[in-house]
């Protein structure tokens, strides 16, 4: 029998309940495992005897292992290649920031050093976005909630994690049940990540967006829009055919009405495709009735897979200026991190069996923006 991750919350709670064991012991088990990576179950103090037998029979402290760790030259980005129990691999990236740098509203920013973890939710992805290497893998499998949480467990041993972004491999809302369960674990003891410090990114899975606020209140929602009109969106994002732009905007309007939260809009800049002045005006008109922050993302070429070019700095600046000055929409340009370890946005692809990988999505510190 395959042993389950102790961080698969629903499963362990169900098994404890069936055995008449109080679920109040579960958080203390999690804390012990985090602090003692190679522990044996009987080393955990003060558990009921039935709990030890159950843990031994059905659970592992971690079902995944860290296969390799790569640090960027500037030491601000660390990429972990994580091998799952079924032999597949995913990557997760730690990004370190000094959030006190720069100014906000003309005044020095408060904050300090902290780390953001970029988490994967699936092995591969079936969305097939043409500018993203992950799409070339196709969809392999969903991660269990425990496998999602274990990325945080592994990363926490290298750096204190304060923020989490679901912008790694996979479409989070296509693994909705596991996503919700994992986040509920992450926001509870002993992790206690603030919901306001967690961002979930989606290409626009409308059924998931419709449930998102009710199931995960106070989280940040990011939408990979990448085009201001449906035909361009369909050209670069095949999933747009299933989730047309008009219906997506209706879902986002309803989400914002319920949540009263700003929405992060991710927009990759592709030379000559979606980065011209007319596209900036179309995007501004599309979003002018919303409360949003637009994050412009410089395109990272993906080697021989690239069919797109990178927008020039001048064109990105002009695009940003139009959105800011004409439509009064807060617009940032994403800072890329970890490119020397193939850790930049849109380059994630795991090439097995030789285990060479081409990176994980990297993000700016959007979860620290003052909304």
């Amino acid at each position: 029998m395959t042993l389950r991750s102790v961080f698969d919350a629903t499963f362990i709670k169900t098994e404890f309940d069936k055995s008449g064991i109080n679920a109040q012991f579960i958080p203390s088990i999690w804390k012990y495992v985090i602090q003692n990576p190679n522990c044996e179950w009987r080393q955990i103090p003060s558990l009921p005897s039935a709990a030890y037998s159950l843990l031994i029979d059905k659970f592992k402290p971690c079902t995944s292992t860290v296969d390799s760790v790569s640090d960027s030259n500037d030491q601000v980005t660390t990429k972990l290649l994580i091998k799952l129990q079924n032999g597949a691999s995913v990557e997760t990236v730690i990004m370190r920031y000094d959030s006190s740098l720069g100014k906000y509203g003309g005044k020095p920013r408060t904050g300090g050093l902290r780390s953001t973890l970029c988490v994967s939710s699936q092995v591969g992805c079936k969305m097939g976005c043409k500018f993203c290497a992950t799409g070339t893998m196709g969809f392999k499998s969903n991660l269990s909630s425990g496998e999602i949480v274990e990325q945080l467990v592994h990363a926490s041993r290298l750096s204190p994690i304060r923020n989490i972004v679901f912008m790694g491999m996979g479409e989070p809302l296509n693994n909705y049940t596991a996503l919700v369960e994992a986040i509920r674990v992450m926001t509870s003891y002993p992790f206690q990540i603030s919901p306001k410090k967690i961002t979930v990114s989606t290409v626009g899975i409308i059924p998931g967006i419709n449930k998102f606020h009710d199931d995960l209140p106070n989280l940040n929602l990011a939408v990979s829009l990448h085009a201001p009109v449906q035909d361009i969106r369909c050209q670069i994002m095949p999933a747009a055919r299933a989730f047309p732009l008009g219906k997506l905007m209706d879902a986002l309007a309803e989400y914002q009405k319920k949540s009263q939260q700003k929405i992060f809009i991710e927009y990759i800049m592709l030379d000559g495709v979606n980065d011209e002045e007319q596209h900036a005006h179309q995007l501004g008109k599309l979003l002018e009735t919303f409360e949003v922050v637009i994050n412009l993302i410089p395109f990272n070429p993906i080697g021989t897979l690239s069919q797109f070019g990178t927008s020039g700095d001048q064109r990105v600046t002009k695009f940003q200026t139009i959105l800011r000055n004409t439509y009064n929409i807060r617009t940032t340009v994403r800072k890329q991190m970890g490119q020397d370890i193939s850790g930049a946005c849109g380059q994630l692809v795991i090439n097995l069996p030789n285990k060479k990988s081409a990176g994980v999505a990297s993000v700016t510190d959007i979860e620290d923006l003052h909304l």
Side-chain angles (χ1 to χ4, degrees):
M1 182 181 71
T2 301
L3 299 178
R4 296 285 292 265
S5 168
V6 76
F7 295 99
D8 275 321
T10 297
F11 187 74
I12 190 172
K13 288 174 182 175
T14 299
E15 291 300 314
F16 269 45
D17 183 59
K18 290 192 320 190
S19 299
I21 306 168
N22 195 323
Q24 71 178 11
F25 291 104
I26 295 173
S28 62
I29 293 171
W30 289 342
K31 182 178 180 180
Y32 192 89
V33 170
I34 294 168
Q35 295 175 341
N36 302 273
N38 301 311
C39 68
E40 298 290 337
W41 289 130
R42 293 201 180 276
Q43 294 173 336
I44 303 178
S46 306
L47 296 181
S49 58
Y52 293 111
S53 300
L54 180 60
L55 290 169
I56 292 168
D57 288 344
K58 296 195 174 182
F59 294 95
K60 293 177 72 173
C62 271
T63 58
S64 62
T65 57
V66 178
D67 202 42
S68 66
V69 177
S70 304
D71 291 312
S72 61
N73 291 333
D74 57 13
Q75 299 297 304
V76 299
T77 305
T78 300
K79 181 175 67 175
L80 286 71
L81 177 64
I82 296 175
K83 187 171 184 178
L84 308 178
Q85 189 168 223
N86 64 3
S89 295
V90 294
E91 290 180 321
T92 189
V93 172
I94 303 168
M95 297 161 287
R96 301 170 184 87
Y97 300 91
D98 185 346
S99 57
S100 65
L101 297 177
K103 293 184 177 181
Y104 177 74
K107 299 178 181 180
R109 297 179 65 179
T110 59
L113 296 173
R114 90 293 186 279
S115 294
T116 291
L117 183 67
C118 182
V119 176
S120 294
S121 55
Q122 296 178 310
V123 180
C125 183
K126 62 182 176 182
M127 295 296 97
C129 298
K130 295 183 179 180
F131 48 81
C132 180
T134 312
T136 65
M137 293 178 62
F139 173 71
K140 306 298 183 183
S141 62
N142 283 321
L143 298 187
S144 71
S145 63
E147 289 171 330
I148 294 173
V149 174
E150 284 179 15
Q151 293 173 69
L152 175 58
V153 174
H154 294 308
S156 295
R157 292 169 184 155
L158 300 179
S159 181
I161 304 298
R162 198 188 76 175
N163 305 302
I164 294 174
V165 290
F166 282 83
M167 297 182 181
M169 180 183 291
E171 163 54 58
L173 297 190
N174 274 346
N175 190 13
Y176 191 83
T177 299
L179 172 78
V180 171
E181 183 175 304
I183 290 174
R184 287 175 176 167
V185 172
M186 291 172 171
T187 55
S188 63
Y189 184 84
F191 299 101
Q192 295 181 302
I193 304 290
S194 168
K196 294 180 180 179
K197 299 298 183 183
I198 299 177
T199 301
V200 174
S201 176
T202 177
V203 300
I205 308 299
I206 293 173
I209 293 171
N210 290 340
K211 299 184 291 182
F212 188 80
H213 174 67
D214 290 337
D215 291 331
L216 297 169
N218 300 316
L219 262 71
N220 299 308
L221 177 66
V223 179
S224 296
L225 198 60
H226 303 316
V229 293
Q230 175 69 1
D231 60 342
I232 298 177
R233 206 162 185 264
C234 287
Q235 290 172 28
I236 62 177
M237 303 174 68
R241 296 185 181 91
F243 305 104
L245 189 58
K247 292 184 178 180
L248 173 58
M249 300 315 292
D250 289 343
L252 294 179
E254 184 62 26
Y255 165 80
Q256 191 152 74
K257 181 180 177 181
K258 289 192 298 184
S259 69
Q260 295 297 302
Q261 292 176 240
K262 285 192 177 182
I263 299 169
F264 294 109
I265 301 295
E266 298 168 298
Y267 194 96
I268 195 161
M269 300 292 288
L270 303 173
D271 185 41
V273 177
N274 64 352
D275 65 343
E276 298 173 8
E277 290 185 26
Q278 63 172 340
H279 300 131
H281 286 290
Q282 289 171 332
L283 185 62
K285 290 173 183 176
L286 181 70
L287 297 171
E288 61 184 347
T289 61
F290 288 81
E291 291 293 324
V292 298
V293 176
I294 299 176
N295 194 212
L296 303 179
I297 307 169
F299 171 65
N300 291 297
I302 46 180
T304 57
L305 300 174
S306 291
Q307 55 180 295
F308 302 109
T310 303
S311 301
D313 292 344
Q314 188 173 357
R315 183 166 286 192
V316 174
T317 300
K318 181 63 176 178
F319 202 96
Q320 180 184 36
T321 300
I322 291 171
L323 292 169
R324 282 181 166 179
N325 295 349
T326 304
Y327 299 96
N328 197 32
I329 297 175
R330 188 172 180 193
T331 308
T332 61
V333 178
R334 175 170 294 180
K335 176 185 177 183
Q336 297 299 336
M337 301 174 69
Q339 290 169 311
D340 59 314
I341 55 169
S342 297
C345 181
Q347 293 179 312
L348 184 154
V349 59
I350 305 291
N351 299 312
L352 295 178
N354 63 10
K355 297 184 181 178
K356 292 180 181 178
S357 62
V360 169
S362 169
V363 298
T364 192
D365 50 345
I366 58 174
E367 68 287 339
D368 268 354
L369 291 174
H370 296 271
L371 302 182

